Structures are given as C-alpha cells and as structure tokens.
Amino acid sequence: MSALMERTQHRSLVLRAAPWVAGAWALVFGALVGLALLGRAPDPWVPDAASPLGALSGTQMSWVIAVLALLALVAGGAVANVRTPGTTRATGWLLIVLGLVVAVVVSDVRALMFLGYLPQVLLAMFGLGPGAGQLEWGLFVDSGVALAHAVGGLAMVVAGVTLLGRTVPGRRLDWGRWARWGRPAVAVAVVVPLLYAATRIAWALDIPLGISREMLDDLGAGRWAGFGLGAFAVVGAVLTWGLVARWGEVFWRWVPRMGGRPVPVAMALVPGILVAGTVTSAGISFWRMAIADDLWTVPGATSDWGAWAPEMLWPIWGVALAVACLAYLGRRTATRG
C-alpha cells in the first residue's frame, strides 16, 4: 500500500487528472444524451458534413455517445473494483480504443477551428482585429463542444496507457523505441502545416493561391479567419520543431525565472497530442466528404484546390505529430534515466 501511495504521489499532474477528465466527459455527455433520448432536451451534438460521422442524424449520434459513455463508466468501475493484471490490461486497452474513437471520430474539424479561431475571438471580444464583427458565435460554441470531445477522448487514452503501465509491477512502459522516429516525424509534421499556411496567408495578402480571383473576392473579411488559422499552423510548425531542438528540452537562459531549467515534458506533450488528435479528426472529416461526394459543400468546391487539398494531408500531419510526441517522450525519459 505504501509503495502504491508513493507512486501516486510522484505521478505527474496530467496522469492524475486524466481519469477525472475522462470520467467528467462520460458523466456530462452521458447525462446530456440520456435527456435527449428521453425527449427532455435537444441532441447535444449534431454532426455536419465536415464530421467523420457526418452521415448520422443527431439522434443517432446521441446513441453513439451514450454507448461510448456507458463503456467508459464501466471501465472506470472495473478499475476501481478489480485489480487483477488481466482485467487491468483489458481495461487499459478498452479505454485507449474508446478514447481514440471519441477524440478522432466523435469530434470533428470544429475542434481544430476552435483552436485556430481562439486568438481572433479574443481580439473580437475587445472589438479588435480585422473582421472582428464577422465571427459566428454559434459555430464557435459548437467548436468548443468538439474540442471537449477531443480532450475527453485523449484523457481516456492517457488513462488507458497509465493502466497498461501498471500491469508489470516495477516496470515502466518503454517509450525509448520511438526516439529514432523523432526527426523524420517532426519533418513531416512541420512541412504539412506550412503548406496549408502558405495558401491562407497568401489569401490575406490578396494572392489567390490555389483558388480563383472570384472566390478570393467572395471571401471578403473571411480571409482573415483563414489568416488566423494559417498563423496558428505556422506557430504550431515552429513549436513542433522544438520536439527535436535543444530549446524544446531546456528553456533559453533569457527566459525570466525559468531560463536554463528543463522544459516540463507535459508542457510539450499535452498541446502536441491535443493538436495531433484534432488535426487527424479534421483530416478524416475531409476524406469522408470526398468519399461521400460532399466535398462540394466546401467553399470553392473541387475546382479551387487551395480550399480543400491541403486539408487532405491533415491525417498525415496528425499521425506524424503524435509519433514526434512519443519520440520526444522516449528521448526525455531516457535522458532522465
């Protein structure tokens, strides 16, 4: 018991918080869809064309979320009441699978929109920034719900991985095997968002890169929303490079109060994994639209490749970023011995 308490005390905040975040997602959305299925409330999550499950109705999606939430709660109960290695291992894998489904399939492109539009929304609150009055606040709220699915799902994955680490007493999961993939994964995870950013920044500069002049004129102030997403992609590419750079492990000495100190691993991994999940989900959304012949709903349809082609590469970006994060974890874990 004392050994278990000691391990719990030394566990990082992220690992300790993950089961609670996952449980909160299951309870909140389980309750919401339960009320919806009983006819007491509207469906809390209605997919649109840009969703991996965009062909489902709101009621069908509520049933999907109800099943996922119930399984997550059952997994939580199994962890609390059964401690055999076999059950712990099975529960860990169940949480990982459930989490990936919630973060990548239930969530959709709107989660990434939330992250990309957040700086513009903050400026708009003070009446600042180009196109501050053009924001659709309802869409922003929906995007926040999509992000909640991404966070809840990834919390399940972290909780599941933590459980797998307990199946062999006295041993930690070996992340070092991922370290060799760090540089190639980072290279891919840097190039893909820069390709996307090039089109959106060009539009803001009145350059119709990948689209017609007519479409660029029709965008109007909306091109600044694209610029915000492009700028977000550039910042993400720079931060991704930090996963293999020295400054990604040790703060620059000129940084106040933290200069020269090691960068907390969670500070790099949490946003990295979150973006990886949201980007993958968004990319799958565009592929679903292409396969279902719904790509015409994207402004510019299929004729203006700049409006949709960069997004088709997003699943590659997301997977590469996830691998880069695991490689970073493996390298940092090996460094700490």
Side-chain angles (χ1 to χ4, degrees), residues 25 29 32 44-46 65 102 106-108 110-111 114 138-152:
W25 177 89
F29 281 98
L32 290 176
W45 182 239
V46 180
I65 294 177
V102 172
V106 173
S107 184
D108 60 30
R110 287 172 284 187
F114 184 96
L139 177 60
F140 184 70
V141 173
D142 287 343
S143 300
V145 177
L147 184 64
H149 290 314
V151 172

Side-chain angles (χ1 to χ4, degrees), residues 122-203:
L122 295 177
L123 290 174
M125 288 180 178
F126 299 96
L128 303 175
Q134 304 292 324
L135 290 172
E136 298 182 22
W137 293 99
L139 177 60
F140 184 70
V141 173
D142 287 343
S143 300
V145 177
L147 184 64
H149 290 314
V151 172
L154 292 174
M156 287 186 218
V157 173
V158 173
V161 170
T162 303
L163 282 179
L164 292 181
R166 296 179 188 171
T167 57
V168 183
R171 291 179 55 187
R172 296 181 301 177
L173 292 175
D174 180 18
W175 300 106
R177 69 184 68 179
W178 293 93
R180 60 176 177 163
W181 298 103
R183 289 191 176 278
V186 164
V188 174
V190 167
V191 170
V192 174
L194 290 180
L195 293 175
Y196 169 82
T199 59
R200 271 54 183 178
I201 294 174
W203 299 353

Side-chain angles (χ1 to χ4, degrees), residues 85-99:
T87 302
T88 300
R89 188 180 301 109
T91 304
W93 280 113
L94 175 61
L95 285 173
I96 290 173
V97 172
L98 290 175

Side-chain angles (χ1 to χ4, degrees), residues 234-267:
V234 171
V235 172
V238 173
L239 294 177
T240 299
W241 186 255
L243 295 175
V244 292
R246 175 62 177 170
W247 55 267
E249 298 184 15
V250 180
F251 286 110
W252 286 305
R253 293 198 173 276
W254 52 264
V255 177
R257 301 184 65 178
M258 296 184 293
R261 295 183 179 181
V263 175
V265 175
M267 183 178 289

